[in-house]
Amino acid sequence: MVKFRRIFLSILVILSAFNAKASSKYSKKIYLWRGVPGMETQVRDTILYVCPANSEKSNSAKSANKKTPAVIICPGGSYHHLGMPHEGFATARWFNSLGITAFVLRYRVAYNDHHYPAQFQDFQMAIAHIREHAEEYNIEKEKIGAIGFSAGGHLVTMAGARTVNELEPIGIHTKESLRANFCMPIYPVVSMQDDIGHKWSRKSLIGRKPSQELKDEFSMELQIPDDMPPTFILACIDDPVVIYENSVRLDSALSAKGIPHVFVTYPRGGHGFGMKENSKIMQESHWNDKDLLPWLQEIGIVN
């Protein structure tokens, strides 16, 4: 059984990589760790795909001397592998259509023996790169958000909540903010507690038998700061993978801190649908247009 599972996961990862290449419309790949001393073995495991905004809207913004917002996309996969096509590049296409430059982040995962802080370092390196090259990308520095799915939702929630700089210990120094300006966890892993935590994500991130202190540190419902950025949560009650209560507790934690946020729920829809255009929930609800777009307009990201 263990051998079969390993073979299945290997096929899944290979197919994800192939499909990502086939379905993507990125303009270039950024190897974030290239040239960084001590990170030579990490170079090919972390890639930032640049997906430019719709050319018509992007050119219109430039001609009006305006900069565009940006979003970092973090696919899910239990912190073990990544669902790049449906949660990464499909999501980029939608944001691009709104005139938003998207960056799909292939962050390090446990499949390649990477655990915390690797994933968080990858996110911080990505947002530092984008802010440092904001002029090149024609991006407004203070309108850089993060959307993540499942375990990626946990990562982007950390990206809004945590102030710890995980780049300093490896010799990376930047004056740019490493936190996202707005966060969008979708059917997210939130808690690392025994009752509702997603065990595979927890094992991949912080180990098989983490201490209670470590569980608390990475349970995001316990770590929401007073200055958490505006947050959009979406989850389905019938989610068979990540217990719906994860999102309920995140909603409660944000409410307790008075953080501006929206919590959208659907009775059915399951898990893992991302923004894949032909998924059932997308065809029935178009949740991105129906729910997410109005919120982005409300917080001033798009007109």
Side-chain angles (χ1 to χ4, degrees), residues 209-243:
K209 295 181 178 179
S211 65
Q212 187 58 49
E213 182 180 5
L214 209 53
K215 293 176 193 175
D216 291 348
E217 181 182 350
F218 289 93
S219 290
M220 298 317 299
E221 76 274 23
L222 304 179
Q223 303 296 335
I224 300 301
D226 293 335
D227 62 347
M228 180 75 182
T231 302
F232 175 95
I233 313 165
L234 182 141
C236 299
I237 295 172
D238 71 342
D239 191 326
V241 178
V242 176
I243 297 172

Side-chain angles (χ1 to χ4, degrees), residues 13 30 49 52 55-56 71 77 84 88 93 102 117 128-129 144 170 176 193 196 217 222 241 260 265 269 282 297:
V13 171
I30 308 296
Y49 297 86
S55 57
E56 182 180 336
V71 64
M84 297 290 284
R93 288 194 292 272
H129 169 83
I144 301 176
I170 54 175
E176 302 293 345
Q193 303 301 317
I196 65 165
E217 181 182 350
L222 304 179
V241 178
T265 66
M282 282 286 285
Q297 292 169 331

